[in-house]
Amino acid sequence: MEDADIEAVIAGFAQAAGIAKRSGCDGVEVNAGQFSLVRQFLSGLTNQRGDRWADRLAFAREVLIGVRAAVGSDMIVGLRLSCDELAPWAGITPESAVDIAVQLAEHVDYLTVVRGSIYSVGATRPDGHTPAGFNLDLIRSISSAVREHVGDRVAMIGQGSIVDVVTLKNTIKKIGAMGVNKYTLVLDRGFFSQGNLEELIQEGFSFVIPASLTLKQVKEVLTEAQRDLESPQYLQKYQKNPIFVKPVSFDVQGNDIKAFCYYD
């Protein structure tokens, strides 16, 4: 890429972010993860330039500055960052990622910690030979460094294979040991087996799980909810804005599901 090409790409990031804002999005995320151009500039595996872009942070920094300028301070800007390319001979390592994360954190509202690169595709979706919670130590080290540098201003998001309740409980303990009191754990559908659900209930965990509905069921629920959804009794406030929230219930495979329909 020539200098003009790089400048055009940076401008493209900013333009795309501006389109997202005008479209009503709450935020945008810049991808410096496994398969991204931004990661390639950050990594010694791929950035072997001899010009001003040899500063491996320069491209990512300029992209984030451009995106922030395009969306303003009232919109969320996040960064998905590969913090271990699993190629220690030249790639981003957990140790070098600390400095990268700290320097880029000042430009974002949240940081998503992932691992892997185009040379370690299996790390993106590890198989059964990879231990559960494989990314937790990496997340902890990056989070600690970022919090020391910018405090709690930047939210930290971790990705990393919580597949059973034991790992979940250990993760919660580790988060608490870091001094983090406010956090949300988002688990994908692979976690919610019948056994895990029963154990969560026995352990007294509070959780929200998306229900699998047919299109017909969705239409039935929404039709019923819309009849009096705008009744004053359902009026609530969310982030200082009015919103109507109505409790509903429906049956999914013999289970009575409690849910909410909302309208803003």
Side-chain angles (χ1 to χ4, degrees):
M1 295 176 70
E2 301 297 330
D3 202 64
D5 300 322
I6 295 173
E7 295 288 358
V9 172
I10 292 172
F13 272 97
Q15 182 181 19
I19 292 172
K21 181 176 183 178
R22 293 191 296 275
S23 300
C25 295
D26 295 320
V28 294
E29 181 178 87
V30 174
N31 183 15
Q34 297 92 329
F35 309 106
S36 67
L37 179 64
V38 181
R39 180 201 54 76
Q40 292 180 44
F41 273 90
L42 289 170
S43 171
L45 284 171
T46 42
N47 185 351
Q48 300 178 18
R49 302 180 68 94
D51 56 11
R52 67 189 180 103
W53 303 107
D55 173 0
R56 292 172 185 161
L57 282 163
F59 181 76
R61 186 185 296 113
E62 290 300 316
V63 167
L64 292 172
I65 290 173
V67 167
R68 177 59 77 189
V71 303
S73 59
D74 59 339
M75 187 168 172
I76 297 171
V77 175
L79 175 65
R80 184 178 183 87
L81 180 64
S82 177
C83 294
D84 185 1
E85 291 188 289
L86 302 176
W89 57 91
I92 299 169
T93 64
E95 294 74 25
S96 64
V98 168
D99 183 59
I100 295 171
V102 165
Q103 292 200 50
L104 297 181
E106 62 183 85
H107 301 290
V108 300
D109 300 300
Y110 74 83
L111 184 66
T112 301
V113 177
V114 298
R115 72 173 191 175
S117 74
I118 56 173
Y119 300 106
S120 51
V121 177
T124 306
R125 297 180 64 87
D127 60 23
H129 298 288
T130 303
F134 63 88
N135 230 17
L136 295 179
D137 289 337
L138 178 62
I139 295 163
R140 183 168 63 250
S141 63
I142 300 297
S143 297
S144 297
V146 170
R147 292 181 70 231
E148 183 177 346
H149 183 69
V150 298
D152 293 330
R153 185 189 65 77
V154 175
M156 300 299 299
I157 300 175
Q159 166 264 335
S161 192
I162 298 176
V163 297
D164 53 51
V165 178
V166 171
T167 306
L168 174 62
K169 292 166 68 175
N170 289 337
T171 302
I172 292 172
K173 288 180 181 178
K174 290 180 178 180
I175 293 172
M178 292 169 55
V180 178
N181 298 316
K182 295 181 179 179
Y183 59 89
T184 300
L185 293 175
V186 181
L187 307 170
D188 67 21
R189 62 184 180 181
F191 174 85
F192 289 100
S193 65
Q194 185 69 32
N196 281 350
L197 284 173
E198 291 175 355
E199 193 169 348
L200 284 174
I201 294 170
Q202 291 171 359
E203 294 281 350
F205 277 92
S206 297
F207 60 92
V208 177
I209 180 171
S212 176
L213 297 176
T214 65
L215 180 58
K216 179 181 178 182
Q217 287 174 309
V218 171
K219 288 181 177 179
E220 290 174 350
V221 170
L222 292 179
T223 299
E224 177 63 28
Q226 286 175 344
R227 292 179 182 175
D228 60 349
L229 183 56
E230 295 186 42
S231 170
Q233 64 179 313
Y234 301 128
L235 183 61
Q236 306 285 338
K237 268 192 174 182
Y238 176 69
Q239 296 182 347
K240 299 182 180 180
N241 296 315
I243 183 172
F244 291 94
V245 182
K246 180 181 178 181
V248 296
S249 63
F250 49 90
D251 180 87
V252 177
Q253 297 177 349
N255 297 305
D256 184 29
I257 306 298
K258 304 295 184 183
F260 295 91
C261 285
Y262 71 91
Y263 171 66
D264 59 3

